[in-house]
Amino acid sequence: MSDQNNNIIEMNNVGIRYDQGPEILSDIKLSLAQGSFHFLTGQSGAGKTSLLSLMYLAQKPSRGQISVFNHNINFTNRDQLASLRRHIGVVFQDFRLIEHLSAFDNVALPLRVSGMDEREIRKRVTELLTWVELDAHMSDKTSTLSGGEKQRVAIARAVINRPDLLLADEPTGNVDNIIAGKLMKLFVELNKLGTTVVIATHSDKIINDFPYPRLHLQNRGLHIYYPADTSVLRGINV
Ligand SMILES: Nc1ncnc2c1ncn2[C@@H]1O[C@H](COP(=O)(O)OP(=O)(O)OP(=O)(O)O)[C@@H](O)[C@H]1O
Ligand SMILES: [Mg+2]
């Protein structure tokens, strides 16, 4: 356990490498406050998915300290990791849906794991899948869906139980601008309800349309950029 504070994630001197290869990220220092919203950018191969995988506790760093929900993950056992993961919603870059199950059953999964009443599950899942414009495909096996449809199922599954932390890896990469805007609205609403959000994206349009700080990976390091309008506001307030 690290000292209690309001940061959902803290990283210090974190390095990531695969096998015996060179570090792909070095000396990462990062604090994500509870309730914050950040974009994560960097060119293809910069390490966005790798950094997110540390945040959703899929791997440990090759060096350095990470705490998630105030638990130092270097000293957290498998059961504790599993219980922390239940507070994290993840939209994987490659979706990772259960292909032989319907869209409905994929989205219902986190609620069933939590033991929710089946009637309540039906109501919530139907409402959310309708909102992401998949009402006509609720019973379809996800293996038969288009890329953009799969992406929306993956997003619905990640947000259905209002996670404390939402990590989304290129969540609008397969949809048109109108649907992308709608999905961003979903993330913004979730954030207003208290969810801390990190979204990896290559979309300049999305970054420009929403005034959130940007974590940018470059040359194995992490740089933070604040949107121009916020710095103007801060300048006025000084
Ligand atoms: N499981 C792995 N084993 C070995 N190398 C890996 C593994 N996963 C990622 N890498 C390497 O780490 C580097 C960063 O990859 P990562 O997927 O994190 O980048 P990214 O910023 O998400 O890229 P993209 O924008 O293309 O999704 C790449 O050079 C990649 O080849
Ligand atoms: Mg990636």
Side-chain angles (χ1 to χ4, degrees):
M1 270 294 232
S2 64
D3 291 340
Q4 297 286 318
N5 59 40
N6 284 334
N7 290 328
I8 290 273
I9 292 179
E10 285 202 41
M11 297 191 184
N12 266 307
N13 302 319
V14 161
I16 306 179
R17 69 202 298 188
Y18 290 99
D19 304 318
Q20 297 311 308
E23 283 194 330
I24 57 146
L25 292 173
S26 292
D27 298 325
I28 300 294
K29 183 171 170 51
L30 168 68
S31 300
L32 289 187
Q34 184 173 7
S36 60
F37 194 127
H38 289 85
F39 291 118
L40 175 60
T41 59
Q43 68 182 41
S44 183
K48 300 179 295 298
T49 299
S50 303
L51 187 65
L52 290 175
S53 76
L54 293 186
M55 295 181 184
Y56 63 73
L57 311 171
Q59 59 171 332
K60 294 196 173 182
S62 39
R63 66 184 169 96
Q65 302 291 319
I66 300 186
S67 56
V68 177
F69 302 125
N70 280 303
H71 287 73
N72 183 331
I73 69 153
N74 301 58
F75 302 108
T76 307
N77 66 33
R78 270 175 53 166
D79 288 347
Q80 289 169 319
L81 286 178
S83 89
L84 292 176
R85 268 193 212 108
R86 281 199 276 279
H87 296 269
I88 306 176
V90 186
V91 182
F92 295 96
Q93 191 166 12
D94 53 1
F95 315 135
R96 301 196 197 171
L97 297 172
I98 303 176
E99 298 266 318
H100 66 276
L101 293 183
S102 66
F104 183 96
D105 285 335
N106 269 275
V107 179
L109 205 62
L111 300 181
R112 288 185 174 139
V113 168
S114 75
M116 186 180 280
D117 171 70
E118 197 60 32
R119 268 206 346 238
E120 182 66 17
I121 291 177
R122 182 146 296 279
K123 179 170 162 280
R124 289 197 191 189
V125 173
T126 304
E127 193 176 279
L128 184 54
L129 281 175
T130 303
W131 201 85
V132 296
E133 301 181 21
L134 284 180
D135 35 326
H137 295 284
M138 271 195 289
S139 310
D140 295 358
K141 276 188 189 170
T142 51
S143 56
T144 67
L145 299 179
S146 75
E149 289 164 350
K150 285 182 184 175
Q151 190 151 45
R152 281 175 278 158
V153 176
I155 290 170
R157 181 182 60 181
V159 305
I160 189 77
N161 61 355
R162 285 199 196 157
D164 294 315
L165 173 63
L166 176 73
L167 303 171
D169 201 350
E170 292 282 349
T172 59
N174 292 66
V175 295
D176 60 53
N177 280 344
I178 291 174
I179 298 261
K182 198 166 177 185
L183 293 172
M184 279 301 299
K185 205 171 148 205
L186 184 64
F187 301 140
V188 170
E189 289 303 318
L190 202 64
N191 178 247
K192 283 186 190 158
L193 295 172
T195 296
T196 305
V197 177
V198 181
I199 294 184
T201 183
H202 283 288
S203 166
D204 289 337
K205 173 163 171 49
I206 284 182
I207 292 164
N208 291 331
D209 282 354
F210 294 87
Y212 297 118
R214 183 157 68 95
L215 310 169
H216 184 68
L217 296 176
Q218 194 173 17
N219 300 331
R220 297 185 296 146
L222 179 76
H223 311 266
I224 302 188
Y225 296 98
Y226 293 93
D229 52 351
T230 336
S231 32
V232 168
L233 283 175
R234 277 187 307 172
I236 290 168
N237 289 334
V238 162

